[in-house]
Coordinates of all heavy atoms in Angstrom, one line a residue:
M30 N 0.8 -1.2 0.0 CA 0.0 0.0 0.0 C 0.9 1.2 0.0 O 1.8 1.4 0.8 CB -0.9 -0.1 1.3 CG -1.5 1.3 1.5 SD -3.0 1.1 2.6 CE -3.5 2.8 2.8
N31 N 0.6 2.1 -0.9 CA 1.4 3.3 -1.0 C 0.7 4.5 -0.4 O -0.5 4.7 -0.6 CB 1.9 3.6 -2.4 CG 0.7 3.7 -3.4 OD1 -0.4 3.6 -3.0 ND2 1.0 3.9 -4.6
D32 N 1.4 5.3 0.3 CA 0.8 6.6 0.9 C 1.3 7.7 0.1 O 2.2 8.5 0.4 CB 1.2 6.7 2.3 CG 0.6 7.9 3.0 OD1 -0.4 8.4 2.4 OD2 1.1 8.3 4.1
C33 N 0.7 7.9 -1.1 CA 1.2 8.9 -2.0 C 0.2 10.1 -2.1 O 0.2 10.8 -3.1 CB 1.4 8.3 -3.4 SG -0.1 7.5 -4.1
G34 N -0.7 10.2 -1.2 CA -1.7 11.3 -1.2 C -3.0 10.8 -1.7 O -3.8 11.6 -2.1
C35 N -3.2 9.5 -1.8 CA -4.5 9.0 -2.4 C -5.7 9.5 -1.6 O -6.7 9.8 -2.2 CB -4.5 7.4 -2.3 SG -3.4 6.7 -3.6
E36 N -5.6 9.5 -0.3 CA -6.8 9.9 0.5 C -7.2 11.3 0.2 O -8.3 11.7 0.0 CB -6.5 9.8 2.0 CG -6.6 8.4 2.5 CD -7.1 8.3 3.9 OE1 -7.5 9.2 4.4 OE2 -7.0 7.1 4.4
K37 N -6.2 12.2 0.1 CA -6.4 13.6 -0.2 C -7.0 13.7 -1.6 O -7.9 14.4 -1.9 CB -5.1 14.3 -0.1 CG -5.2 15.8 -0.3 CD -3.9 16.5 -0.1 CE -4.1 18.1 -0.3 NZ -2.8 18.7 0.0
A38 N -6.4 13.0 -2.5 CA -6.8 13.0 -4.0 C -8.3 12.6 -4.1 O -9.1 13.2 -4.7 CB -6.0 12.2 -4.8
K39 N -8.6 11.5 -3.3 CA -10.0 11.0 -3.4 C -11.0 12.0 -2.8 O -12.1 12.1 -3.3 CB -10.1 9.6 -2.8 CG -9.6 8.6 -3.7 CD -9.5 7.2 -3.1 CE -8.9 6.2 -4.0 NZ -8.5 5.0 -3.3
R40 N -10.6 12.6 -1.7 CA -11.5 13.6 -1.1 C -11.7 14.8 -2.0 O -12.8 15.4 -2.1 CB -10.9 14.1 0.2 CG -11.3 13.3 1.4 CD -11.1 14.1 2.7 NE -9.7 14.6 2.9 CZ -8.7 14.0 3.4 NH1 -8.9 12.8 3.8 NH2 -7.5 14.5 3.4
A41 N -10.7 15.1 -2.8 CA -10.8 16.3 -3.6 C -11.3 16.1 -5.0 O -11.6 16.9 -5.7 CB -9.4 17.0 -3.7
L42 N -11.5 14.7 -5.3 CA -11.8 14.3 -6.6 C -13.1 14.9 -7.2 O -13.2 15.4 -8.3 CB -11.9 12.8 -6.7 CG -11.8 12.1 -8.0 CD1 -10.5 12.6 -8.7 CD2 -11.7 10.6 -7.8
E43 N -14.2 14.9 -6.3 CA -15.4 15.4 -6.8 C -15.4 16.9 -7.2 O -15.9 17.4 -8.1 CB -16.6 15.1 -5.8 CG -16.8 13.6 -5.8 CD -18.2 13.3 -5.2 OE1 -19.1 14.2 -5.2 OE2 -18.3 12.1 -4.8
D44 N -14.7 17.7 -6.3 CA -14.5 19.1 -6.5 C -13.7 19.3 -7.7 O -13.9 20.2 -8.5 CB -13.9 19.8 -5.3 CG -14.9 19.9 -4.2 OD1 -16.1 19.8 -4.4 OD2 -14.4 20.1 -3.0
Y45 N -12.6 18.5 -7.8 CA -11.8 18.6 -9.0 C -12.6 18.4 -10.3 O -12.4 19.2 -11.3 CB -10.7 17.5 -8.9 CG -9.9 17.3 -10.2 CD1 -8.9 18.2 -10.6 CD2 -10.1 16.2 -11.0 CE1 -8.2 18.1 -11.7 CE2 -9.3 16.0 -12.1 CZ -8.4 17.0 -12.5 OH -7.7 16.8 -13.6
L46 N -13.4 17.4 -10.3 CA -14.2 17.1 -11.5 C -15.3 18.1 -11.8 O -15.6 18.3 -13.0 CB -14.8 15.7 -11.5 CG -13.7 14.5 -11.5 CD1 -14.4 13.2 -11.1 CD2 -13.0 14.5 -12.8
R47 N -15.7 18.8 -10.8 CA -16.6 19.9 -11.0 C -15.9 21.2 -11.3 O -16.5 22.3 -11.4 CB -17.6 20.1 -9.8 CG -18.7 19.1 -9.7 CD -19.7 19.5 -8.7 NE -19.2 19.6 -7.3 CZ -19.3 18.7 -6.4 NH1 -20.0 17.6 -6.6 NH2 -18.8 18.9 -5.2
D48 N -14.6 21.1 -11.3 CA -13.8 22.3 -11.6 C -13.9 23.4 -10.5 O -14.0 24.6 -10.8 CB -14.2 22.9 -12.9 CG -12.9 23.6 -13.6 OD1 -11.8 23.4 -13.1 OD2 -13.2 24.3 -14.6
E49 N -14.0 22.9 -9.2 CA -14.2 23.8 -8.1 C -12.9 23.9 -7.2 O -13.0 24.5 -6.1 CB -15.4 23.3 -7.3 CG -16.7 23.6 -8.0 CD -17.9 23.0 -7.2 OE1 -17.7 22.4 -6.2 OE2 -19.0 23.2 -7.8
L50 N -11.8 23.4 -7.7 CA -10.6 23.5 -6.9 C -9.8 24.8 -7.2 O -9.9 25.2 -8.4 CB -9.7 22.3 -7.1 CG -10.2 21.0 -6.6 CD1 -9.3 19.9 -6.9 CD2 -10.5 21.0 -5.1
G51 N -9.1 25.3 -6.3 CA -8.2 26.4 -6.6 C -7.0 25.8 -7.4 O -6.8 24.6 -7.5
S52 N -6.3 26.7 -8.1 CA -5.3 26.2 -9.1 C -4.2 25.4 -8.4 O -3.7 24.4 -9.0 CB -4.8 27.4 -9.9 OG -4.2 28.3 -9.0
D53 N -3.8 25.7 -7.2 CA -2.7 25.0 -6.6 C -3.1 23.5 -6.3 O -2.4 22.6 -6.7 CB -2.4 25.6 -5.2 CG -1.6 26.9 -5.4 OD1 -1.3 27.2 -6.6 OD2 -1.2 27.5 -4.4
L54 N -4.3 23.4 -5.7 CA -4.8 22.0 -5.3 C -5.1 21.2 -6.6 O -4.8 20.1 -6.7 CB -6.0 22.1 -4.5 CG -6.6 20.8 -3.9 CD1 -5.5 20.0 -3.2 CD2 -7.7 21.1 -2.9
R55 N -5.6 21.9 -7.6 CA -6.0 21.3 -8.9 C -4.7 20.7 -9.5 O -4.7 19.6 -10.0 CB -6.6 22.4 -9.8 CG -7.0 21.8 -11.1 CD -7.6 22.8 -12.0 NE -8.0 22.2 -13.3 CZ -9.1 21.4 -13.5 NH1 -9.9 21.4 -12.5 NH2 -9.3 20.8 -14.6
A56 N -3.6 21.5 -9.5 CA -2.4 21.1 -10.1 C -1.8 19.8 -9.3 O -1.3 18.9 -9.9 CB -1.3 22.2 -10.0
E57 N -2.0 19.9 -8.0 CA -1.5 18.8 -7.1 C -2.3 17.5 -7.4 O -1.7 16.4 -7.6 CB -1.7 19.2 -5.7 CG -1.0 18.3 -4.7 CD -1.2 18.7 -3.3 OE1 -1.4 19.9 -3.0 OE2 -1.2 17.8 -2.4
I58 N -3.6 17.7 -7.6 CA -4.4 16.5 -7.9 C -4.1 15.9 -9.3 O -3.9 14.7 -9.5 CB -5.9 16.8 -7.8 CG1 -6.3 17.3 -6.4 CG2 -6.8 15.6 -8.2 CD1 -6.0 16.3 -5.3
E59 N -3.9 16.8 -10.2 CA -3.5 16.4 -11.6 C -2.2 15.6 -11.6 O -2.1 14.6 -12.2 CB -3.4 17.6 -12.6 CG -4.8 18.0 -13.1 CD -4.8 19.2 -13.9 OE1 -3.7 19.9 -14.0 OE2 -5.8 19.6 -14.4
R60 N -1.3 16.1 -10.8 CA 0.0 15.4 -10.7 C -0.2 14.0 -10.1 O 0.4 13.0 -10.6 CB 1.0 16.2 -9.9 CG 1.9 17.0 -10.6 CD 3.2 17.4 -9.9 NE 2.9 17.9 -8.5 CZ 2.6 19.2 -8.3 NH1 2.5 20.1 -9.2 NH2 2.3 19.6 -7.0
H61 N -1.0 13.9 -9.1 CA -1.3 12.7 -8.4 C -2.0 11.7 -9.4 O -1.6 10.5 -9.5 CB -2.1 12.9 -7.2 CG -2.4 11.6 -6.5 ND1 -1.5 11.0 -5.6 CD2 -3.4 10.7 -6.5 CE1 -1.9 9.9 -5.1 NE2 -3.1 9.7 -5.7
L62 N -2.9 12.2 -10.1 CA -3.7 11.3 -11.1 C -2.8 10.7 -12.2 O -3.0 9.6 -12.6 CB -4.9 12.0 -11.7 CG -6.0 12.5 -10.7 CD1 -7.1 13.2 -11.5 CD2 -6.6 11.2 -10.0
E63 N -1.9 11.5 -12.6 CA -0.9 11.0 -13.6 C -0.1 9.9 -13.1 O 0.3 9.0 -13.9 CB 0.0 12.2 -14.1 CG -0.6 13.1 -15.1 CD 0.3 14.2 -15.5 OE1 1.5 14.1 -15.3 OE2 -0.2 15.3 -15.9
G64 N 0.2 9.9 -11.8 CA 1.1 8.9 -11.3 C 0.4 7.8 -10.6 O 1.1 6.8 -10.1
C65 N -0.9 7.8 -10.5 CA -1.6 6.8 -9.6 C -2.8 6.2 -10.4 O -3.7 6.8 -10.7 CB -2.1 7.5 -8.4 SG -2.9 6.4 -7.3
T66 N -2.5 4.9 -10.8 CA -3.6 4.3 -11.6 C -4.9 4.1 -10.8 O -6.0 4.3 -11.4 CB -3.1 2.8 -11.9 OG1 -1.8 2.9 -12.4 CG2 -4.0 2.2 -12.9
E67 N -4.8 3.8 -9.5 CA -6.0 3.7 -8.7 C -6.9 4.9 -8.7 O -8.1 4.9 -9.0 CB -5.6 3.3 -7.3 CG -6.9 2.8 -6.5 CD -6.5 2.6 -5.1 OE1 -5.4 2.1 -4.8 OE2 -7.3 2.9 -4.2
C68 N -6.2 6.1 -8.5 CA -7.0 7.3 -8.4 C -7.4 7.8 -9.8 O -8.5 8.4 -9.9 CB -6.2 8.4 -7.7 SG -6.0 8.1 -6.0
S69 N -6.6 7.5 -10.8 CA -7.1 8.0 -12.2 C -8.2 7.1 -12.6 O -9.2 7.6 -13.3 CB -5.9 7.9 -13.2 OG -5.4 6.7 -13.3
T70 N -8.3 5.8 -12.2 CA -9.4 4.9 -12.5 C -10.6 5.5 -11.8 O -11.7 5.6 -12.4 CB -9.1 3.5 -12.0 OG1 -8.0 3.0 -12.7 CG2 -10.3 2.6 -12.3
E71 N -10.4 5.9 -10.5 CA -11.5 6.4 -9.7 C -12.1 7.7 -10.4 O -13.3 7.9 -10.4 CB -11.0 6.7 -8.3 CG -12.1 7.0 -7.3 CD -12.8 5.7 -6.8 OE1 -12.3 4.6 -7.1 OE2 -13.9 5.9 -6.3
A72 N -11.2 8.5 -10.9 CA -11.6 9.8 -11.5 C -12.4 9.4 -12.8 O -13.4 10.1 -13.1 CB -10.4 10.6 -11.9
H73 N -11.9 8.5 -13.5 CA -12.6 8.1 -14.7 C -14.0 7.6 -14.4 O -15.0 7.9 -15.0 CB -11.8 7.0 -15.4 CG -12.4 6.5 -16.7 ND1 -12.7 7.4 -17.8 CD2 -12.8 5.3 -17.2 CE1 -13.2 6.7 -18.7 NE2 -13.3 5.5 -18.4
I74 N -14.1 6.8 -13.3 CA -15.4 6.2 -12.9 C -16.4 7.4 -12.5 O -17.5 7.4 -12.9 CB -15.2 5.3 -11.6 CG1 -14.5 4.0 -12.1 CG2 -16.6 5.0 -11.0 CD1 -14.1 3.1 -11.0
H75 N -15.8 8.4 -11.8 CA -16.7 9.5 -11.4 C -17.1 10.2 -12.6 O -18.3 10.7 -12.7 CB -15.8 10.5 -10.6 CG -15.8 10.2 -9.1 ND1 -17.0 10.5 -8.3 CD2 -14.9 9.7 -8.3 CE1 -16.7 10.1 -7.1 NE2 -15.5 9.6 -7.0
T76 N -16.2 10.4 -13.6 CA -16.6 11.1 -14.8 C -17.7 10.4 -15.6 O -18.7 11.0 -16.0 CB -15.4 11.2 -15.8 OG1 -14.3 11.8 -15.0 CG2 -15.7 12.1 -17.0
V77 N -17.6 9.1 -15.7 CA -18.6 8.3 -16.4 C -19.9 8.4 -15.6 O -21.0 8.6 -16.2 CB -18.1 6.8 -16.5 CG1 -19.3 6.0 -17.1 CG2 -16.9 6.7 -17.5
I78 N -19.9 8.2 -14.3 CA -21.1 8.2 -13.5 C -21.8 9.6 -13.6 O -23.0 9.7 -13.8 CB -20.8 7.9 -12.0 CG1 -20.4 6.5 -11.9 CG2 -22.0 8.2 -11.2 CD1 -19.9 6.1 -10.5
T79 N -21.0 10.6 -13.5 CA -21.6 11.9 -13.6 C -22.2 12.1 -15.0 O -23.3 12.7 -15.1 CB -20.4 13.0 -13.5 OG1 -19.8 12.8 -12.2 CG2 -21.0 14.4 -13.5
G80 N -21.6 11.6 -16.1 CA -22.2 11.7 -17.4 C -23.5 10.9 -17.5 O -24.5 11.5 -18.0
V81 N -23.4 9.8 -17.0 CA -24.6 8.9 -17.0 C -25.8 9.5 -16.2 O -26.9 9.6 -16.7 CB -24.4 7.5 -16.4 CG1 -25.6 6.7 -16.2 CG2 -23.4 6.7 -17.3
V82 N -25.4 10.0 -15.1 CA -26.5 10.6 -14.2 C -27.0 11.9 -14.8 O -28.2 12.2 -14.8 CB -25.9 11.0 -12.8 CG1 -26.9 11.8 -12.0 CG2 -25.6 9.7 -12.1
R83 N -26.2 12.7 -15.4 CA -26.6 14.0 -16.1 C -27.6 13.7 -17.2 O -28.6 14.3 -17.4 CB -25.5 14.7 -16.7 CG -24.7 15.4 -15.6 CD -24.2 16.8 -16.1 NE -23.4 17.5 -15.1 CZ -22.1 17.5 -15.1 NH1 -21.4 17.1 -16.1 NH2 -21.5 18.1 -14.0
R84 N -27.3 12.6 -17.9 CA -28.3 12.2 -19.0 C -29.5 11.6 -18.5 O -30.6 11.8 -19.0 CB -27.6 11.2 -19.9 CG -26.6 11.8 -20.9 CD -26.2 10.9 -22.0 NE -25.6 9.6 -21.5 CZ -24.3 9.5 -21.3 NH1 -23.5 10.5 -21.4 NH2 -23.9 8.4 -20.8
S85 N -29.4 10.8 -17.4 CA -30.6 10.1 -17.0 C -31.5 10.7 -15.9 O -32.7 10.6 -16.0 CB -30.2 8.6 -16.5 OG -29.4 8.8 -15.3
C86 N -30.9 11.4 -15.0 CA -31.8 12.0 -14.0 C -31.4 13.4 -13.6 O -31.5 13.8 -12.4 CB -31.9 11.1 -12.7 SG -30.5 10.2 -12.2
D87 N -30.9 14.1 -14.5 CA -30.9 15.6 -14.4 C -30.1 16.1 -13.1 O -30.6 16.9 -12.4 CB -32.3 16.1 -14.4 CG -32.3 17.6 -14.9 OD1 -31.3 18.0 -15.5 OD2 -33.3 18.2 -14.8
G88 N -28.9 15.5 -12.9 CA -28.0 16.1 -11.9 C -28.2 15.5 -10.5 O -27.5 15.9 -9.6
E89 N -29.2 14.6 -10.3 CA -29.3 14.0 -9.0 C -28.1 13.2 -8.7 O -27.4 12.7 -9.6 CB -30.6 13.2 -8.9 CG -31.8 13.9 -8.5 CD -33.0 13.0 -8.5 OE1 -33.0 12.0 -7.9 OE2 -34.0 13.4 -9.1
A90 N -27.8 13.0 -7.4 CA -26.7 12.1 -7.0 C -27.0 10.7 -7.6 O -28.0 10.2 -7.6 CB -26.6 12.0 -5.5
A91 N -25.8 10.1 -8.1 CA -25.9 8.7 -8.6 C -26.4 7.8 -7.5 O -25.9 7.8 -6.5 CB -24.6 8.3 -9.2
P92 N -27.4 7.0 -7.9 CA -27.8 5.9 -6.9 C -26.6 5.0 -6.7 O -25.9 4.7 -7.7 CB -29.0 5.2 -7.6 CG -29.4 6.1 -8.7 CD -28.2 6.9 -9.1
D93 N -26.5 4.4 -5.5 CA -25.3 3.5 -5.2 C -25.3 2.4 -6.2 O -24.3 1.9 -6.7 CB -25.5 3.0 -3.8 CG -25.1 4.0 -2.8 OD1 -24.5 5.0 -3.2 OD2 -25.4 3.8 -1.6
E94 N -26.5 1.9 -6.6 CA -26.6 0.7 -7.5 C -26.0 1.1 -8.8 O -25.2 0.3 -9.4 CB -28.1 0.4 -7.6 CG -28.3 -0.9 -8.3 CD -29.8 -1.1 -8.6 OE1 -30.6 -0.9 -7.7 OE2 -30.1 -1.5 -9.7
L95 N -26.3 2.2 -9.3 CA -25.8 2.7 -10.6 C -24.3 2.8 -10.5 O -23.5 2.4 -11.4 CB -26.4 4.0 -11.1 CG -25.8 4.7 -12.3 CD1 -26.0 3.8 -13.5 CD2 -26.5 6.0 -12.5
R96 N -23.9 3.5 -9.5 CA -22.4 3.7 -9.2 C -21.6 2.4 -9.2 O -20.6 2.3 -9.8 CB -22.3 4.4 -7.9 CG -21.0 5.0 -7.6 CD -21.1 5.7 -6.3 NE -21.7 7.1 -6.3 CZ -21.0 8.2 -6.4 NH1 -19.7 8.2 -6.3 NH2 -21.6 9.3 -6.5
E97 N -22.3 1.5 -8.6 CA -21.6 0.1 -8.4 C -21.6 -0.6 -9.8 O -20.6 -1.2 -10.2 CB -22.4 -0.7 -7.4 CG -21.6 -1.8 -6.7 CD -20.2 -1.4 -6.4 OE1 -20.0 -0.3 -5.7 OE2 -19.2 -2.1 -6.8
R98 N -22.6 -0.4 -10.5 CA -22.7 -1.1 -11.9 C -21.6 -0.5 -12.8 O -20.9 -1.2 -13.5 CB -24.1 -0.8 -12.5 CG -24.5 -1.8 -13.5 CD -26.0 -2.1 -13.5 NE -26.8 -1.0 -13.2 CZ -27.4 -0.3 -14.1 NH1 -27.2 -0.5 -15.3 NH2 -28.2 0.7 -13.7
V99 N -21.5 0.8 -12.8 CA -20.5 1.4 -13.7 C -19.1 1.0 -13.2 O -18.2 0.7 -14.0 CB -20.7 3.0 -13.6 CG1 -19.5 3.7 -14.3 CG2 -22.0 3.4 -14.2
R100 N -18.9 1.0 -11.9 CA -17.6 0.7 -11.3 C -17.2 -0.7 -11.8 O -16.1 -1.0 -12.2 CB -17.7 0.7 -9.8 CG -16.4 0.7 -9.1 CD -16.7 0.8 -7.6 NE -17.2 2.1 -7.2 CZ -16.4 3.1 -6.7 NH1 -15.1 2.9 -6.6 NH2 -16.9 4.2 -6.4
R101 N -18.2 -1.7 -11.7 CA -17.9 -3.1 -12.1 C -17.6 -3.2 -13.6 O -16.7 -3.8 -14.0 CB -19.0 -4.0 -11.7 CG -18.9 -4.6 -10.3 CD -19.8 -5.8 -10.2 NE -21.2 -5.6 -10.5 CZ -22.1 -5.1 -9.6 NH1 -21.7 -5.0 -8.4 NH2 -23.3 -4.9 -10.0
A102 N -18.4 -2.4 -14.4 CA -18.2 -2.5 -15.8 C -16.8 -1.9 -16.2 O -16.1 -2.5 -17.0 CB -19.2 -1.6 -16.5
L103 N -16.3 -0.9 -15.5 CA -15.0 -0.3 -15.9 C -13.9 -1.2 -15.4 O -12.9 -1.3 -16.0 CB -14.9 1.1 -15.2 CG -15.8 2.2 -15.9 CD1 -15.8 3.4 -15.0 CD2 -15.4 2.5 -17.3
R104 N -14.1 -1.8 -14.2 CA -13.1 -2.7 -13.7 C -12.9 -3.8 -14.7 O -11.8 -4.3 -15.0 CB -13.5 -3.2 -12.3 CG -13.4 -2.2 -11.2 CD -12.1 -2.4 -10.4 NE -11.8 -1.1 -9.7 CZ -12.4 -0.7 -8.6 NH1 -13.3 -1.3 -8.1 NH2 -12.0 0.5 -8.1
A105 N -14.0 -4.4 -15.2 CA -14.0 -5.5 -16.1 C -13.3 -5.1 -17.4 O -12.5 -6.0 -17.9 CB -15.5 -5.9 -16.4
T106 N -13.4 -3.9 -17.9 CA -12.8 -3.6 -19.1 C -11.3 -3.2 -19.0 O -10.5 -3.2 -19.9 CB -13.5 -2.4 -19.8 OG1 -13.6 -1.3 -18.9 CG2 -14.9 -2.8 -20.2
S107 N -10.9 -2.8 -17.7 CA -9.6 -2.4 -17.5 C -8.6 -3.4 -17.2 O -7.4 -3.2 -16.9 CB -9.6 -1.2 -16.5 OG -9.9 -1.7 -15.3
H108 N -9.1 -4.7 -17.1 CA -8.2 -5.7 -16.7 C -8.0 -6.7 -17.9 O -8.9 -6.9 -18.7 CB -8.7 -6.5 -15.5 CG -8.4 -5.7 -14.3 ND1 -7.2 -5.4 -13.8 CD2 -9.3 -5.1 -13.4 CE1 -7.3 -4.7 -12.7 NE2 -8.5 -4.5 -12.5
Ligands
LIG216 ZN1 -3.8 7.7 -5.6

C-alpha cells in the first residue's frame, strides 16, 4: 500500500471534476492522477457516472446501485 496522497486526492476528486478547486490544489491532484492508476481509475469512474447521471436523472446524485454497476463495468474492461 502506498501513501502517495491517495486519501487527499479522493477527497478532492469530486470538487476537481466539478472544476471547483483552486489552481494549486488542482495542479496537485492532476500530478497525483498522472502517477496513480487507482486514483485515475476512480476519476474516470466519477466522470462516467456523472455523465450517465446527467443524462438520466438531471443532476441528482448517482444511486449507489448505478455507481456500483458502472464501477464493475469499468473494472471489467480495464483488466
Ligand atoms: Zn492515488
Side-chain angles (χ1 to χ4, degrees):
M30 166 159 178
N31 56 1
D32 183 17
C33 57
C35 286
E36 284 213 8
K37 184 177 183 178
K39 282 174 185 168
R40 271 201 306 274
L42 200 55
E43 291 199 21
D44 287 342
Y45 168 74
L46 293 171
R47 281 197 300 263
D48 208 12
E49 288 176 359
L50 293 179
S52 55
D53 285 359
L54 187 52
R55 183 179 179 82
E57 193 180 329
I58 300 302
E59 278 173 355
R60 265 201 310 279
H61 182 82
L62 292 178
E63 277 177 24
C65 182
T66 311
E67 192 185 323
C68 288
S69 60
T70 301
E71 194 73 18
H73 182 57
I74 290 170
H75 272 285
T76 307
V77 172
I78 290 173
T79 304
V81 170
V82 170
R83 283 218 180 104
R84 280 195 301 275
S85 64
C86 38
D87 210 13
E89 272 178 50
D93 287 347
E94 192 188 314
L95 173 63
R96 195 175 279 260
E97 206 40 55
R98 199 144 40 95
V99 174
R100 195 180 290 265
R101 270 201 302 273
L103 290 171
R104 290 260 156 78
T106 57
S107 67
H108 285 293

